[in-house]
């Protein structure tokens, strides 16, 4: 698929999400997918391999959570090849993104593409989430397809700064997971409609510490 066609698909999907992206953002998002596809052929970085599915499954699914971000410092836990962190960093240049994973191979791709695209707001962190010791907390900790919500809170709840949130991107509503939350965390569920993923349920669960 040509770059122009990918740009057109991202642009129309983003408009359906209510987002108008600049040409430079569309160009970077398309380059991200083309480079991911090229690297993935050698290194098996992503299970989704055709570009049309990558637009929906990687770019639009990531952009759908933009309205839920808070603050300047964002931690993407278990980012894999950079999702949702990279599309968010491209479209939210005023925020600082820390992309954490325990697998060095995937972080190598992120460093490469961040350099190619000139993304100065992306840092990579090679660590297990539960062992990471950042100098300060994050206004938003986000995770897609990494672990159950109780497990995420156990691994990364301590990285959420006071007044901050954890965003868990989920498919089907994880009712069982929500029954097992620690008492000091409250949550809100929002159903997402992601263009191209209409057949799939998508939810974002926003978690915050309760103030008793
Ligand atoms: N978030 C990406 C996405 O949605 O495309 C990647 C999802 S992939 C299924 C899960 C990722 O979480 C893997 O890259 C794995 O290395 C990482 N991971 C799992 N447990 C982790 C932990 N405790 N700390 C850091 N990374 C972890």
């Amino acid at each position: 698929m040509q770059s122009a066609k990918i740009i057109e698909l991202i642009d129309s999907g983003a408009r359906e999400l209510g987002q108008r992206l600049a040409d430079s953002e569309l160009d970077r998002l398309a380059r991200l997918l083309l480079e991911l596809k090229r690297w993935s052929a050698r290194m098996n970085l992503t299970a989704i391999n055709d570009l049309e599915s990558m637009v929906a499954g990687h770019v639009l699914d990531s952009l759908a959570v933009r309205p839920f971000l808070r603050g300047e410092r964002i931690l993407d836990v278990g980012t894999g090849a950079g999702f949702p962190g990279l599309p968010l960093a491209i479209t939210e240049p005023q925020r600082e993104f820390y992309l954490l994973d325990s697998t060095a191979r995937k972080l190598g791709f992120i460093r490469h593409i961040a350099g190619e695209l000139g993304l100065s707001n992306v840092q990579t962190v090679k660590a297990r989430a539960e062992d990471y010791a950042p100098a300060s907390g994050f206004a938003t900790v986000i995770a897609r397809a990494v672990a159950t919500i109780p497990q995420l809170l156990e691994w990364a709840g301590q990285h959420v700064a006071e007044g901050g949130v954890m965003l868990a991107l989920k498919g089907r509503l994880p009712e069982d997971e929500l029954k097992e939350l620690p008492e000091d965390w409250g949550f809100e569920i929002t159903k997402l409609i992601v263009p191209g993923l209409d057949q799939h349920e998508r939810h974002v669960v926003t978690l915050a510490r309760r103030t008793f």
Side-chain angles (χ1 to χ4, degrees):
M1 192 187 288
Q2 299 286 320
S3 176
K5 177 69 186 159
I6 302 169
I7 286 176
E8 194 186 307
L9 285 174
I10 298 174
D11 188 25
S12 75
R15 284 170 196 259
E16 279 187 55
L17 288 171
Q19 301 178 25
R20 294 289 294 267
L21 303 181
D23 288 349
S24 58
E25 293 171 338
L26 290 168
D27 178 65
R28 282 180 165 138
L29 289 165
R31 284 166 64 196
L32 163 63
L33 292 190
L34 286 167
E35 199 64 356
L36 177 61
K37 187 170 167 64
R38 203 168 70 83
W39 273 54
S40 209
R42 287 185 280 132
M43 296 180 68
N44 190 25
L45 292 175
T46 165
I48 314 178
N49 275 313
D50 75 283
L51 283 159
E52 195 167 340
S53 305
M54 287 166 90
V55 167
H58 284 326
V59 170
L60 299 177
D61 197 44
S62 298
L63 296 183
V65 295
R66 280 178 77 193
F68 299 87
L69 296 177
R70 294 211 196 148
E72 281 177 19
R73 280 163 50 83
I74 318 284
L75 176 66
D76 180 9
V77 169
T79 188
F83 298 95
L86 283 171
L88 294 174
I90 289 170
T91 51
E92 298 280 334
Q94 74 287 6
R95 303 185 206 258
E96 197 68 27
F97 289 83
Y98 292 74
L99 274 50
L100 177 147
D101 206 285
S102 50
T103 310
R105 185 169 55 91
K106 298 181 179 176
L107 295 178
F109 169 73
I110 295 174
R111 278 193 293 275
H112 161 75
I113 194 69
E116 288 282 307
L117 301 180
L119 298 177
S120 56
N121 62 336
V122 170
Q123 313 237 15
T124 55
V125 181
K126 184 188 173 317
R128 292 196 61 82
E130 58 274 36
D131 299 334
Y132 181 40
S136 52
F138 295 84
T140 303
V141 174
I142 192 165
R144 182 181 85 159
V146 178
T148 64
I149 296 176
Q151 184 74 82
L152 276 176
L153 286 176
E154 195 181 316
W155 285 346
Q158 76 275 18
H159 303 320
V160 178
E162 206 182 317
V165 291
M166 178 178 281
L167 302 177
L169 277 60
K170 292 280 169 182
R172 202 173 43 81
L173 190 63
E175 287 177 34
D176 291 350
E177 295 177 23
L178 294 170
K179 283 184 199 144
E180 291 165 24
L181 291 189
E183 275 183 9
D184 52 337
W185 287 86
F187 65 88
E188 221 174 78
I189 300 162
T190 312
K191 190 173 164 55
L192 299 174
I193 308 283
V194 179
L197 296 183
D198 324 43
Q199 306 302 318
H200 301 258
E201 284 189 58
R202 303 299 294 152
H203 293 91
V204 57
V205 181
T206 304
L207 297 127
R209 283 188 197 88
R210 288 187 202 278
T211 46
F212 292 100

